[in-house]
Amino acid sequence: LCGRELDGYLTVARDGLIATADTRAMELLGGQPVGRPLRRYLPRLIDHGVPIETLVGQRLETELQHESTRFRPVEVEVHKAPGGKAVAARVRLTDISARAERLAELERMALHDALTGLPNRALFHDRVRQAIASAERHGEAFVVMLLDLDRFKQVNDTLGHQIGDRLLQAVGPRLGAVLRRSDTLARLGGDEFAVILLPPVDIDHAAATAERLVESMREPFQIDGMALDLGVSVGTALYPEHGPHLEALVHNADVAMYKAKRERLGFSIFNAEQAQGSARRLTLQRDLRPAIEQGEMEVLVQPKVAVAGWTVSGAEALIRWHHPIEGLLAPDDFLPIAEHTGLIMPLTLRVLNDCLKAQLRWRDAGIELPVSMNVSAKWLRDREFP
């Protein structure tokens, strides 16, 4: 706004009736307001019987009721009227619709995922807390689901982030189509999504919905003439049976999702047995970093033998973890954890350095053997790895 040329001005009598209104004020109010109570136009600011003098000296944001009964956001500033006993106050009205729209858009951007337009992690957490508060009042149950896309990383790594982004944009409508209007679908980040099923809901309804979510991903996605296959793993937790608060519900849904993904079940509903497995996984996750740094990892070498002549033509590196409590752990016990936490990078470097040191010792002994090792796909995006 440039100066005050877009503001409207009123004077108000001591009885609360509008005494005068300029052209802009009449435009904002939708007609000639003289002789009408100011409360008619500012019902959310002025209570019945409250004198206008109580607002003198204040600048407030409220909503102005137009003659058409629609509301618009305004800023109201009230000053004591100069001279005269009949007029109690002079009121400035400023239309702040554009400012309110900008603030609403900023709030929307802060609470929604920029790529898909779905609620983001912050809004998802807020809605879970609201659902808990409502469920406590009414003695109801609701469901939290965590979803992780299957095979998305392969597509993203192979075809690039642009195709991956378009794929994520197509996933939202596909998943949302099987949910009720009252339910929430959110994107937490990467290829992770989440769902809140509001009451009425029970474990059977949750299982049926999870199954529909899995089925919704069966059909390939058509992107730039390519048919791209994805799947989804769904973990489900029911309030209050599987957790009394946000952290417990999200954690237990994640545990169930991890089980569904690891065992290729499609979906899984949390139970106590999974909780025990989760505790073990958390313990291994906690111990993995120091194990890599302190040399608890052992690299074994498996020879490659050429059938013709039965000669050793190379070797493959295999890793084992000498855990101080669990004993000797195979890769299946800890490599998925390393991938999930980002520790696969330092673990790979540790194995690679051990292999190079071994080859140096062999060379000193007159043995030349190539060694192969498995590498995470994450390294393919790391320019430093070569």
Side-chain angles (χ1 to χ4, degrees):
L1 299 177
C2 298
R4 295 297 182 192
E5 66 270 19
L6 297 183
D7 293 349
Y9 290 89
L10 307 167
T11 57
V12 183
R14 296 192 182 283
D15 58 5
L17 300 181
I18 297 172
T20 64
D22 67 6
T23 303
R24 176 58 176 158
M26 287 190 286
E27 182 183 323
L28 289 172
L29 300 178
Q32 175 56 265
V34 172
R36 291 190 167 195
L38 181 62
R39 184 171 56 85
R40 157 70 180 79
Y41 300 100
L42 298 172
R44 296 176 183 175
L45 181 64
I46 303 174
D47 294 329
H48 181 73
V50 175
I52 187 65
E53 290 92 337
T54 60
L55 297 177
V56 169
Q58 297 191 52
R59 180 187 296 177
L60 305 162
E61 288 188 8
T62 185
E63 287 188 305
L64 178 74
Q65 186 171 0
H66 190 270
E67 285 288 356
S68 65
T69 72
R70 61 185 170 84
F71 285 86
R72 75 166 74 192
V74 293
E75 181 181 88
V76 177
E77 189 171 6
V78 182
H79 298 277
K80 187 175 181 180
K85 294 184 178 181
V87 177
R90 186 167 185 262
V91 178
R92 177 177 63 80
L93 302 174
T94 305
D95 184 356
I96 57 171
S97 300
R99 184 203 309 173
E101 288 174 4
R102 286 196 299 271
L103 289 174
E105 177 61 17
L106 289 173
E107 183 178 356
R108 192 199 68 79
M109 291 170 61
L111 296 175
H112 289 78
D113 174 56
L115 181 64
T116 63
L118 295 172
N120 63 13
R121 186 183 297 271
L123 184 52
F124 168 72
H125 284 180
D126 184 60
R127 289 187 178 176
V128 172
R129 292 189 183 97
Q130 291 179 27
I132 290 173
S134 176
E136 284 179 344
R137 287 195 302 271
H138 300 103
E140 297 172 320
F142 72 93
V143 167
V144 168
M145 294 178 168
L146 292 190
L147 294 71
D148 190 83
L149 300 182
D150 301 329
R151 299 183 294 278
F152 174 77
K153 287 183 172 61
Q154 292 91 316
V155 173
N156 205 41
D157 293 343
T158 305
L159 301 178
H161 293 290
Q162 185 175 1
I163 296 296
D165 287 350
R166 291 175 60 188
L167 197 51
L168 289 172
Q169 289 171 332
V171 164
R174 186 86 68 90
L175 295 174
V178 306
L179 300 174
R180 299 169 301 177
R181 188 181 285 263
S182 61
D183 299 328
T184 293
L185 172 66
R187 181 184 175 220
L188 305 186
D191 60 351
E192 293 181 285
F193 292 78
V195 168
I196 305 170
L197 303 182
L198 292 178
V201 66
D202 56 22
I203 203 70
D204 292 333
H205 177 80
T209 302
E211 191 168 1
R212 288 198 300 272
L213 289 168
V214 172
E215 285 298 320
S216 73
M217 303 295 287
R218 301 286 189 204
E219 188 73 21
F221 289 85
Q222 302 295 326
I223 306 289
D224 283 357
M226 297 178 288
L228 303 178
D229 285 312
L230 288 183
V232 66
S233 298
V234 183
T236 299
L238 185 72
Y239 174 89
E241 182 179 343
H242 299 147
H245 51 76
L246 167 68
E247 292 75 14
L249 284 169
V250 172
H251 171 74
N252 290 338
D254 185 58
V255 169
M257 185 272 292
Y258 186 81
K259 175 181 173 66
K261 197 172 191 72
R262 185 179 66 248
E263 300 181 15
R264 299 181 182 178
L265 302 174
F267 72 92
S268 175
I269 296 173
F270 178 79
N271 59 43
E273 182 182 337
Q274 292 173 12
Q276 295 172 359
S278 172
R280 179 176 183 266
R281 183 161 63 97
L282 288 173
T283 300
L284 294 180
Q285 181 175 318
R286 180 198 65 201
D287 295 343
L288 185 54
R289 184 182 296 277
I292 296 170
E293 295 171 351
Q294 297 168 16
E296 292 178 13
M297 299 295 173
E298 180 184 9
V299 178
L300 305 179
V301 177
Q302 176 172 278
K304 293 181 177 180
V305 179
V307 176
W310 296 102
T311 57
V312 176
S313 59
E316 180 181 3
L318 305 175
I319 188 169
R320 300 291 184 268
W321 180 3
H322 287 280
H323 193 277
I325 298 174
E326 297 259 351
L328 191 66
L329 298 178
D332 286 350
D333 290 318
F334 59 89
L335 284 186
I337 298 173
E339 286 275 5
H340 186 69
T341 59
L343 290 173
I344 195 67
M345 313 296 259
L347 179 58
T348 303
L349 290 179
R350 183 74 188 225
V351 174
L352 180 57
N353 283 329
D354 285 351
C355 289
L356 293 172
K357 290 175 183 176
Q359 284 185 296
L360 186 60
R361 291 195 302 272
W362 299 342
R363 180 172 294 173
D364 291 341
I367 301 170
E368 291 283 350
L369 277 180
V371 177
S372 64
M373 59 178 288
N374 292 320
V375 175
S376 168
K378 291 182 178 179
W379 280 111
L380 300 180
R381 298 195 298 269
D382 192 308
R383 295 182 180 276
E384 298 299 316
F385 185 59

